[in-house]
Amino acid sequence: MSAVIGQPLPRIDGRPKTTGAARYSADIPLPGLTYAVLAGSRIAAGRITRVNAAPALAATGVIAVLTHENLPRIAAQPPVLPSLLGGPSPGETFFPMQDATIHYGGQHVALVVADTYERALHAAGLVEFTYEEEPAVTVIDQIRDRTEVPDSLFGGFVPGHSSRGDVEAALDRAEVRVDATYHLAANHQNPLETSATTAHWEGGRLFLHDATQGPNATQHTVAALLGVPHADIRVISHYVGGSFGAKASIWHHSTLAAMAARHVGRPVRLALTREQMFTSCGHREEQEHSVSLGADRQGRLTALRHHKLSPTSQHDDWAETSLEVGAQLYACDAYEGVYRLGRAHTMTPTFMRCPGEASGLFALESTLDQLAGELGLDPLELRLRNHADTDPVTEKPWSSKGLKECYRRGAELIGWHRRAAGPVADGDWLVGLGMASAAYPAAGPVNPQRARVRVYADGSAVAQAAASEFGTGVGTAMAQVAAEALGLPVERVRFEAGDTDLPNLASAVGSTGAGMISAAVHRAAVALRDQLIAQAVADPGSPLHGADPGRVGLSGGRMVLRDRRDTGESYAELLLRAHQPDAEATRSWAPPQGEPTHAMMTFGAHFAEVAVDRDLGLVRVRRLVGAFAPGRVLNARTAKSQLMGGMLWGMGQALLEQSVMDRRAGRWANPSLGDYLVPVNADAPQVDVELVEVTDDVVNPLGVKGVGEIGQAGTAAAIAAAVHHATGRRVRNLPIVVEDLL
Ligand code: MOS
């Protein structure tokens, strides 16, 4: 049968989503439902000296007001488990309303429960707080002279300092040297669906409908915080309206909803407001990058130094891991990466789409573009001369690469050969071309991933795992994976997910979802197929009775003899004869343990054509071309759609997105979709996504490297390079705004 994996099938969940039949976590109807609204601190630093809940309690419909004075204490901070990445924010050690201290603006200080949302919202504004305010530190300029290099970042996963060779000596000796410093605005993820939890307790068991990237991570985190056994918590997350990292870690509101439901003895719905999304789920931190490159006259890199400075919270060491990509992307003997952190009165930052690489590559690739200029080399040729044939960090072979082919195909599509030394004028517009490399880690989770596959006596099948569908198309792709292994038409196969009563999985973060879930689903489906073939050959009533199982294959939805395809039967016939309603298999995929044999990264290349209005400084991206080699593609339509979305994100990062800190108030000044700008359809240029095929036999059973982040890795650098080509201006801050180009 023709391959089902890879087919550009439309999303199975497209219809329920577009007709409104899909139920999100804040849509769950429950008898006796109550509504919780959070109130946030008006100061960013200091302490609460007095609380007056009386006016709120007296308001119509109010059932409870919880503050640090009466909210139960948490049982324990959950351990940070790399296997569950997406549990508590790695390094997160803070839970609100445990004492009177204020660590950041907007910190949750009260939770009001009422019989309607409007009444709860109104009463949340009536809780009176008196504060003792201290000066707040919120931006890089205030922490510059009090930073530290941490031993490690967020729970020990990444060292604060790493190096190879002698980078200072190599920089001193370099024939050509470029030093540059970049500033990147803080960003917020802003998924369309704000984070929401509907909680209810039934017979001592907690049911949480939670918008999350990892139902098992929510279960694990809330269980630890409440001191309740895992088995007593069931997390359901059938539809999630986007996340981009905002729902990758488990933030406080999920547990607060559970606490409130227990307190009032009724179901509670807690949905964050858009404004609260800016102070409740982390953010991409403001950052400053300093890059120094040394090279010989032929453009071969001899030194690469990349330092990053960023604010973290009062309680945790967090920085986006922006520097690891530069250590691996190019062949270069001397490297140093250093993270400097300063404590600020912001909440702990977190993953935001393409966490780390999107920022690190902007700085690194922009500096390479400048180096190419100083050497008089084509920027693409400079990349080719520094191509890393093996991983420069471990000296191991790549599990697969395809980068040169990405460069070639991308260059062809954008017409890179037409790039002249300077811009081309088009009326008032100056048109330029720029490019950048894309790279993102492709290693998966470290723990076993499980899935179950079941075939029913009516010939249909279901694959099950506790994944959440947050817009990635996982349901469609996994139906394809199971259908192919079972030899069934994909219309007869469903993927059931979003429920911790199903086999457990790690959170789908860091572009690992498709690889790890497909590995488990594939294993389970293959096991079930083999089990049913074994049952058939052992069944005297089967036309396959007595056959060698190795000679039985799948064809036309049936098990058949490979060399006599008219001899065989369907799963349904086999099961009905045995009076079996169904048959199932559960399997784990355990990633290989110990020292990996290969280095695993996904690669790609971005090309951008931009036009800059020579008088007004307006930037219009006219074309984006991205060529990527993400290994096996499970569904060409949803994969391309994710990659295109990533590229448009990169355009937002380049030109629009910035969370502006009001440093006097210690608060984000633009917490709304009216003031926090993201690209809309009218901003979207022509976007071409090119898939470069590479076979990867190492990364996971199906060779899937993931498409979640690579689309955004390097986009902003390609756009900034094109702006430079068009105007001669090297803009070193993101977003690039009109003022930079006047
Ligand atoms: Mo992704 S930003 O790792 O959820």
Side-chain angles (χ1 to χ4, degrees), residues 59-76:
T60 311
V62 171
I63 301 163
V65 176
L66 293 163
T67 68
H68 71 279
E69 294 185 341
N70 59 344
L71 186 80
R73 301 293 91 120
I74 57 170

Side-chain angles (χ1 to χ4, degrees), residues 530-542:
D530 291 347
Q531 179 183 316
L532 288 166
I533 289 174
Q535 183 176 336
V537 302
D539 180 349
S542 170

Side-chain angles (χ1 to χ4, degrees), residues 644-714:
M644 181 183 290
M647 292 165 73
L648 291 168
W649 261 73
M651 193 183 87
Q653 181 196 17
L655 301 175
L656 295 168
E657 295 195 41
Q658 57 178 325
S659 302
V660 179
M661 177 56 75
D662 176 341
R663 63 171 81 185
R664 281 165 308 178
R667 298 290 298 271
W668 299 111
N670 56 336
S672 75
L673 285 177
D675 296 309
Y676 183 95
L677 305 181
V678 297
V680 297
N681 281 347
D683 297 309
Q686 182 189 335
V687 182
D688 294 304
V689 177
E690 180 77 354
L691 292 171
V692 168
E693 270 183 53
V694 288
T695 305
D696 197 311
D697 298 322
V698 177
V699 64
N700 47 49
L702 292 179
V704 177
K705 294 169 87 175
V707 291
E709 341 259 352
I710 188 73
Q712 199 199 341

Side-chain angles (χ1 to χ4, degrees), residues 213 244-245 248 351-355 440 508-511 709:
Q213 286 178 237
F244 316 112
F351 309 103
M352 174 162 155
R353 195 170 191 183
C354 200
Y440 192 83
V509 297
S511 296
E709 341 259 352

Side-chain angles (χ1 to χ4, degrees), residues 469-553:
E469 167 59 280
F470 50 101
T472 59
V474 65
T476 312
M478 295 311 144
Q480 291 173 261
V481 169
E484 179 154 326
L486 292 168
L488 289 174
V490 70
E491 307 77 43
R492 307 285 344 248
V493 183
R494 277 187 307 120
F495 182 58
E496 228 171 69
D499 189 331
T500 52
D501 276 1
L502 301 177
N504 70 289
L505 290 167
S507 300
V509 297
S511 296
T512 60
M516 70 183 188
I517 305 167
S518 70
V521 168
H522 175 73
R523 279 273 156 92
V526 166
L528 179 57
R529 174 199 71 195
D530 291 347
Q531 179 183 316
L532 288 166
I533 289 174
Q535 183 176 336
V537 302
D539 180 349
S542 170
L544 295 167
H545 181 240
D548 170 1
R551 287 180 50 233
V552 178

